Amino acid sequence: MQPFDAHLVQRVVFGDGAVSQLGSLVKETGARRVLLISDMGIVQAGILHRAQDSLDKAKIEHADFKETEPNPESRQVERAAQFARDAGPFDLIAAVGGGSVMDCAKGVNFLLANGGTMRDYWGFGKANKPMLPSIGVPTTAGTGSEAQSYAIISDDETKRKMACGDPKARFHAVILDPSLVASAPRGVSAAAGIDAVSHALESYVSLRRNPLSQMYSREAWRLMEGSLETALAEPSNIQARAGTLLGAYCAGMGIELSMLGAAHAMANPLTARYRIAHGEAVALTLPHVMRYNRQTAGDLYDELAQAAGIDCSVEERFLKLRAAAQLPKRLRDRGIPSADLPDLAARAAEEWTANFNPHPVDSTSLRCLYEQAY
């Protein structure tokens, strides 16, 4: 068995209506003032009000930053941190939203506690001072950021995605409330759901996989494969929504305990350069990467097919899920010029996750994969 070293201390509260427990969870930490980070979509959906109401009932003071944008850039995180300095001090950070909100909250925690800029934390373990306790309340079933110690922040100058990780940045507690994801627009649910599926599939075969990470990745795949289509077809089906939400969390744990691969390495430049939603970008790249990985990881994909009890290959099942999500099938469908493929391949080869793909990749093989996806 592959050796591993896992840090698993995180409280998880799961259940319909669990957001009402936010105030009591905060109170248990002894915190009196909370920085609540969200976005305007969450405000308009009425979700932020539910979190605020829970804090108010527990008599917890809070200041609310609502300006988080998709795929947060370092400049935006620094703006949120300045908001916190002006409105603070705070004892705890709570994030209510999708993956971008989760990442922004972790980025703010880095800057408030340790100063500097997000570039200073690109990598792992670079926060030298204690950080604020934090609680994550995901409103989409996708990134699994609530389970991870990394914040993915784009550099506003280079547009490269920076993975900024530290054990102290991980949420101390997570609230998984299926009723919150039920209000997400279909397009958001589709892209987020496919992202979570890709996390399960890539982390399961990653070179850094281990028995514990594969346990989470396998369960994530089983949950997402069995619930995503129903959740998209029947948005009010709480059982299906619960399956996707818990599946996304398990996939996030799979990443936290291992790593991803070439599909994400290829997806990141697409998001950075063309502002393609991350889930859509991975949906475009993963089928071709899985076929490429058959050379090395075919038996692992077969294990996942058996675990889910499906009568087709994992690759075929993923294509069916992508079709149900109604996501683009080819890069050309997103208006990407074929002349850009060599540069995209060079950028993908520089992505950290490319190093953990089960079958080796370089700029040449990545260009071939982009061409197949085109």
Side-chain angles (χ1 to χ4, degrees), residues 68-283:
T68 306
E69 298 173 0
N71 301 308
E73 295 185 348
S74 52
R75 179 170 43 202
Q76 182 197 97
V77 176
E78 288 159 13
R79 186 167 64 247
Q82 189 57 52
F83 170 90
R85 294 186 192 101
D86 294 340
F90 297 101
D91 307 311
L92 183 143
I93 297 175
V96 181
S100 294
V101 170
M102 300 288 151
D103 287 344
C104 182
K106 284 184 274 190
V108 169
N109 208 350
F110 275 112
L111 299 184
L112 285 183
N114 289 269
T117 68
M118 288 311 304
R119 288 184 184 177
D120 298 326
Y121 306 103
W122 192 356
F124 187 77
K126 296 185 177 181
N128 298 318
K129 298 178 182 178
M131 295 170 68
L132 290 174
S134 55
I135 296 175
V137 187
T139 60
T140 58
T143 69
S145 180
E146 65 274 7
Q148 300 167 45
S149 56
Y150 280 87
I152 308 300
I153 308 296
S154 295
D155 186 291
D156 53 80
E157 293 182 8
T158 66
K159 306 304 178 185
R160 286 197 65 183
K161 284 182 174 286
M162 301 182 294
C164 306
D166 194 284
K168 297 185 288 296
R170 194 175 182 209
F171 293 113
H172 291 63
V174 171
I175 295 175
L176 302 178
D177 184 342
S179 71
L180 302 185
V181 301
S183 64
R186 189 189 189 283
V188 172
S189 295
I194 289 296
D195 190 24
V197 172
S198 74
H199 291 162
L201 293 174
E202 283 223 290
S203 60
Y204 192 79
V205 303
S206 162
L207 289 180
R208 289 186 62 179
R209 66 185 182 271
N210 58 70
L212 192 57
S213 73
Q214 287 187 304
M215 179 185 73
Y216 279 106
S217 301
R218 184 169 50 247
E219 182 63 7
W221 161 248
R222 192 188 67 79
L223 286 166
M224 294 302 302
E225 186 278 330
S227 58
L228 180 57
E229 287 174 300
T230 302
L232 294 176
E234 305 171 22
S236 60
N237 187 320
I238 290 298
Q239 288 301 313
R241 291 290 193 174
T244 62
L245 187 59
L246 188 56
Y249 176 83
C250 289
M253 284 296 298
I255 299 171
E256 178 73 4
L257 297 170
S258 59
M259 189 42 68
L260 295 166
H264 277 77
M266 294 174 66
N268 285 344
L270 294 173
T271 298
R273 186 163 181 173
Y274 307 105
R275 308 295 291 182
I276 298 174
H278 179 67
E280 289 188 22
V282 176

Side-chain angles (χ1 to χ4, degrees), residues 331-350:
L331 294 176
R332 69 183 67 173
D333 298 336
R334 296 298 269 107
I336 298 170
S338 59
D340 289 356
L341 299 186
D343 182 61
L344 287 170
R347 290 175 179 268
E350 295 174 352

Side-chain angles (χ1 to χ4, degrees), residues 19-23 34-57 60-68 83 93-98 101-102 105 135-140 175 177 179-181 183-184:
V19 68
S20 64
Q21 298 183 49
L22 176 60
V34 171
L35 173 62
L36 188 57
I37 296 182
S38 191
D39 63 41
M40 288 309 299
I42 300 305
V43 174
Q44 293 165 3
I47 294 174
L48 185 62
H49 174 73
R50 295 174 64 183
Q52 293 168 328
D53 185 59
S54 180
L55 293 174
D56 292 340
K57 287 179 177 178
I60 303 293
E61 294 182 30
H62 54 90
D64 311 330
F65 180 81
K66 311 169 188 175
E67 312 303 323
T68 306
F83 170 90
I93 297 175
V96 181
V101 170
M102 300 288 151
I135 296 175
V137 187
T139 60
T140 58
I175 295 175
D177 184 342
S179 71
L180 302 185
V181 301
S183 64

Side-chain angles (χ1 to χ4, degrees), residues 17-36:
V19 68
S20 64
Q21 298 183 49
L22 176 60
S24 62
L25 287 178
V26 171
K27 206 165 187 177
E28 287 177 15
T29 70
R32 296 184 177 183
R33 299 200 75 237
V34 171
L35 173 62
L36 188 57

